[in-house]
Amino acid sequence: MSQRQGVDLSYEDGARAVELAREAVESYVQHGQREQPGSMREAFYERTGAFVRLESTRGRGSLRGCAGGYRSDDQLGHVIVDAAIEAASEDSCGSEVSPSELPNLTVSVCAVKSVVLTDDPLADLELGVHGVAIDGGEGGWLYPTVPVENGWSAREYLDRTCRKAKLAPGAWEDDDVVVTLFEGQVFREREADGSVEEL
């Protein structure tokens, strides 16, 4: 098991990360433009991965978009902007976020703190702490908070990440499939464009 360090965000950094992601989504959806991070908080200059999730608050709620990566050579501020735009595009969940949806979207950001390459994901995986990324098939990943929100076991979490990568459940046990665990800090809006909490 080998580890690579990422970034450690304060609450203020996390709240700004979510705000930056929302600004990027709104700029892209309303004007087709890429938001520039502007003068960034010090932590946003770190070179690490990040993920952005967009969820609808309408009806029973649903995932509207997700994008990002657990590793990056770019600065965190730029990674957040790029992930937010990709999450809002049709490449993410099949349809682009429309301007009318913006008031009903909650935004969350997962900033990568550390990356763990593992030979035994079932043993090394800590539910609620680690996100899972599968390199194989089309590639896929899931947030650290997802298995806790859904009451999944570690095995189910790994199987579902495989499905997201368009692989058979259990493919994470194959030698040619690389499983990476990432520890991340997750910050999200409690309600659309509302106050931010750290999970």
Side-chain angles (χ1 to χ4, degrees), residues 14-61:
R16 176 60 190 136
V18 171
E19 184 182 28
L20 178 60
R22 174 168 283 282
E23 288 168 1
V25 168
E26 290 176 349
S27 179
Y28 172 75
V29 170
Q30 292 173 329
H31 310 292
Q33 295 175 335
R34 183 188 189 280
E35 178 80 9
Q36 294 302 323
S39 61
M40 298 190 293
R41 301 181 68 87
E42 190 175 325
F44 290 12
Y45 289 101
E46 294 288 337
R47 296 182 187 278
T48 189
F51 303 88
V52 173
R53 275 175 78 184
L54 307 176
E55 294 177 88
S56 174
T57 59
R58 285 187 180 149
R60 292 177 51 217

Side-chain angles (χ1 to χ4, degrees), residues 56-100:
S56 174
T57 59
R58 285 187 180 149
R60 292 177 51 217
S62 63
L63 183 67
R64 276 302 283 121
C66 57
Y70 62 88
R71 59 177 171 232
S72 177
D73 294 328
D74 283 338
Q75 295 171 339
L76 178 61
H78 292 282
V79 174
I80 290 169
V81 168
D82 291 341
I85 289 170
E86 191 180 336
S89 76
E90 62 187 311
D91 296 338
S92 180
C93 283
S95 64
E96 195 167 292
V97 170
S98 66
S100 65

Side-chain angles (χ1 to χ4, degrees), residues 101-171:
E101 290 179 86
L102 291 174
N104 300 296
L105 280 186
T106 58
V107 176
S108 69
V109 173
C110 176
V112 175
K113 273 173 66 165
S114 64
V115 175
V116 181
L117 293 173
T118 175
D119 293 328
D120 191 350
L122 202 55
D124 294 335
L125 175 59
E126 207 176 320
L127 290 175
V129 173
H130 291 122
V132 174
I134 301 283
D135 292 317
E138 293 184 12
W141 54 268
L142 287 171
Y143 256 44
T145 52
V146 169
V148 178
E149 291 165 1
N150 292 285
W152 297 342
S153 67
R155 186 174 288 277
E156 188 174 4
Y157 185 27
L158 290 163
D159 286 346
R160 286 180 180 266
T161 311
C162 284
R163 272 199 225 118
K164 194 166 179 200
K166 304 283 192 278
L167 294 169

